Amino acid sequence: MLERFYMIKEAVGLCITTSFNGKAEINVCGINIVKNKLNFVKKITGLQSLAELSTHFPSKTIVALNLSGKGILQKQIEKTEEINPNNFSSILPNATFDDFYIQNFISGENSFVSIIRKTEVDKWINELQQLGFIVLSVSLGPFSVENIISQTNIYESEIVFNGHQIIRDESSTWVNYYYDEALSSKYPLKIESESISEKLLIAYAVAFQLVLSNKLTPIIANVPHVTKLFQDFINNRKLKTQGFLILIGFFVLLLGNFFTFSYLTGANNKLTEQVSKSAQNYTDVQKINEQTIKKEALLKSLGYEGAFDKSILVDQLASLLPDDLTLKEISIDPIDLNTSRSQKNISFYSKRIKIVGTSDKIIPVNEWIARIKTKNWVKNIELESFIINNELNTGQFTILI
């Protein structure tokens, strides 16, 4: 429930492609999430140095770094769950395992292993940190586009963009990968309805998988100090969020105590005044008794059920709510229309909660009902209705507890 407070809501994807002549081209894509909607902030191609980033993005900007091209060894091997010192020599003979950062992208029965010297990666990270940017992920090659292919207008088994050629089979499993600087897409690319340069596809992909790292498996290289920085960043957000919620809780508790004390003090003063008057005049006592009887009848007609904290019940219901449901109304002891009409007086259902909301599907509604049934205070629960609104392409449900 609190994950939305922990997640990274804005990031910059930074793709650095080093050509065979040693020249680096920098392409940048900034995205953010506002009200559960992903937006493009900036799309920049053809930067020649990292220093130029400072003119486009402020200090403390979160960066997802990708390195492609020269200096990266790409090797396709049989599916291997983990690359370690024991099997590394079969991939890169006569090399020292600790000198390299490694990325292992598994697709079907194949592992696409990307290897780069640590000094090369650390050089770019240090430069970004000196400019004030925060690097929270590092990826190698084009493999992170696996997480965003479904968003593009690419439907063929062969994917070509900005020098990268990816061959997939009919089940969308990667079969082969090639790199040739001369390769380019045959048609303009789009992310959903947004046009995007083929040079920015990887930059967008790495930014996307960083902001949605809690919902998908990011394809990244094993860079321990960056991984630790990412975990520390998320843990810090969790700590701040939890601390804020605790403060809010104490504030609400104190506020509740204040109002309760004020109410009880006021009520006590009124009762003291009434008792004083009743001692002087029997008639006043009779009036107070009549008022008390009327008030008791009113409380009974309004459905008062004693010191039963219904706000706790509502809070428990909300804590079990699936993400796919939207609540429109919660009624505690709702009006009994039939009885009210027949008696010509407002009547309420006793010890009932009526909930109205919307959902695209009925499955999440049934899931919520199943969760609610686990509460020991629930005697019975039923789905009164689920009506599909064809114009809004959603359904409205009514639940009675």
Side-chain angles (χ1 to χ4, degrees):
M1 183 177 179
L2 296 177
E3 283 189 358
R4 60 193 181 96
F5 296 108
Y6 305 155
M7 66 184 294
I8 298 170
K9 295 187 177 181
E10 185 167 356
V12 169
L14 179 64
C15 178
I16 302 175
T17 303
T18 304
S19 62
F20 292 109
N21 62 11
K23 185 178 180 181
E25 181 181 51
I26 302 172
N27 299 304
V28 188
C29 182
I31 62 174
N32 65 14
I33 296 178
V34 179
K35 296 180 180 179
N36 292 324
K37 181 181 178 182
L38 188 143
N39 307 289
F40 285 89
V41 178
K42 283 186 180 180
K43 294 182 285 188
I44 307 169
T45 60
L47 296 182
Q48 300 302 311
S49 69
L50 291 181
E52 296 180 57
L53 276 178
S54 300
T55 63
H56 299 282
F57 299 98
S59 178
K60 304 298 182 181
T61 295
I62 295 172
V63 171
L65 175 63
N66 174 270
L67 300 176
S68 297
K70 183 182 178 182
I72 301 173
L73 172 64
Q74 308 284 4
K75 196 161 185 179
Q76 181 178 343
I77 63 174
E78 185 179 340
K79 179 181 177 181
T80 304
E81 293 294 337
E82 181 184 3
I83 308 299
N84 53 48
N86 296 326
N87 56 24
F88 180 71
S89 59
S90 64
I91 300 172
L92 193 60
N94 302 318
T96 303
F97 178 80
D98 291 334
D99 290 342
F100 299 90
Y101 291 132
I102 302 169
Q103 176 180 286
N104 182 21
F105 168 58
I106 298 174
S107 184
E109 296 303 317
N110 297 311
S111 275
F112 293 85
V113 181
S114 306
I115 304 172
I116 188 172
R117 287 194 173 276
K118 289 183 177 180
T119 53
E120 183 67 17
V121 176
D122 292 340
K123 175 191 71 174
W124 292 111
I125 293 176
N126 291 336
E127 188 172 347
L128 285 167
Q129 290 176 341
Q130 288 173 7
L131 292 170
F133 297 109
I134 303 172
V135 180
L136 294 187
S137 76
V138 176
S139 61
L140 306 175
F143 305 100
S144 55
V145 301
E146 170 68 10
N147 285 321
I148 58 98
I149 290 177
S150 60
Q151 303 175 34
T152 69
N153 59 335
I154 300 174
Y155 309 105
E156 300 84 0
S157 59
E158 180 181 88
I159 303 172
V160 178
F161 66 95
N162 196 33
H164 303 283
Q165 182 181 27
I166 301 164
I167 308 297
R168 301 186 301 165
D169 60 20
E170 61 278 0
S171 63
S172 298
T173 298
W174 290 42
V175 178
N176 282 302
Y177 163 70
Y178 306 97
Y179 180 74
D180 184 344
E181 293 181 357
L183 294 174
S184 62
S185 178
K186 298 177 182 179
Y187 48 84
L189 297 180
K190 287 186 176 182
I191 299 294
E192 302 296 348
S193 60
E194 179 89 12
S195 296
I196 188 170
S197 168
E198 62 183 288
K199 293 184 177 183
L200 292 174
L201 202 60
I202 295 178
Y204 167 72
V206 296
F208 177 83
Q209 68 177 14
L210 180 57
V211 298
L212 292 180
S213 57
N214 62 327
K215 297 183 180 296
L216 52 78
T217 302
I219 301 166
I220 55 176
N222 181 20
V223 183
H225 63 277
V226 173
T227 301
K228 183 180 184 304
L229 187 63
F230 172 80
Q231 291 298 334
D232 290 345
F233 184 89
I234 296 299
N235 291 336
N236 186 48
R237 285 210 165 184
K238 289 182 179 180
L239 183 63
K240 288 182 178 180
T241 300
Q242 292 167 357
F244 176 75
L245 292 177
I246 291 173
L247 288 176
I248 291 294
F250 277 120
F251 175 76
V252 171
L253 182 62
L254 290 173
L255 195 63
N257 287 339
F258 170 76
F259 283 117
T260 301
F261 179 77
S262 298
Y263 170 78
L264 292 176
T265 300
N268 183 66
N269 291 336
K270 289 181 180 179
L271 289 174
T272 301
E273 184 179 350
Q274 291 173 353
V275 170
S276 176
K277 290 181 179 179
S278 66
Q280 299 175 10
N281 194 310
Y282 177 78
T283 302
D284 291 342
V285 173
Q286 289 296 102
K287 290 181 180 180
I288 292 173
N289 289 335
E290 291 175 0
Q291 291 176 0
T292 302
I293 293 172
K294 289 179 180 180
K295 289 179 179 179
E296 290 175 349
L298 177 60
L299 288 174
K300 185 176 181 180
S301 67
L302 291 174
Y304 178 70
E305 297 160 357
F308 200 81
D309 195 344
K310 298 174 184 176
S311 65
I312 293 178
L313 307 187
V314 174
D315 183 66
Q316 292 180 12
L317 293 177
S319 69
L320 301 174
L321 183 70
D323 293 338
D324 297 333
L325 302 187
T326 301
L327 296 184
K328 297 177 66 178
E329 176 184 343
I330 297 181
S331 303
I332 305 294
D333 294 344
I335 295 177
D336 184 348
L337 296 177
N338 294 331
T339 304
S340 298
R341 290 193 191 99
S342 62
Q343 297 182 0
K344 296 183 179 180
N345 191 20
I346 297 178
S347 179
F348 299 86
Y349 285 113
S350 177
K351 294 185 179 180
R352 297 191 185 186
I353 301 175
K354 182 178 180 182
I355 303 173
V356 179
T358 58
S359 174
D360 294 339
K361 300 177 182 178
I362 197 172
I363 293 176
V365 180
N366 291 332
E367 178 185 350
W368 194 28
I369 291 175
R371 295 178 183 178
I372 295 173
K373 284 182 178 179
T374 62
K375 293 299 179 181
N376 56 12
W377 52 266
V378 176
K379 181 179 181 181
N380 190 28
I381 180 171
E382 61 180 308
L383 178 62
E384 286 196 331
S385 64
F386 186 86
I387 302 172
I388 297 297
N389 187 322
N390 292 325
E391 293 182 1
L392 299 178
N393 194 26
T394 187
Q396 177 168 300
F397 62 85
T398 302
I399 295 174
L400 186 62
I401 302 174

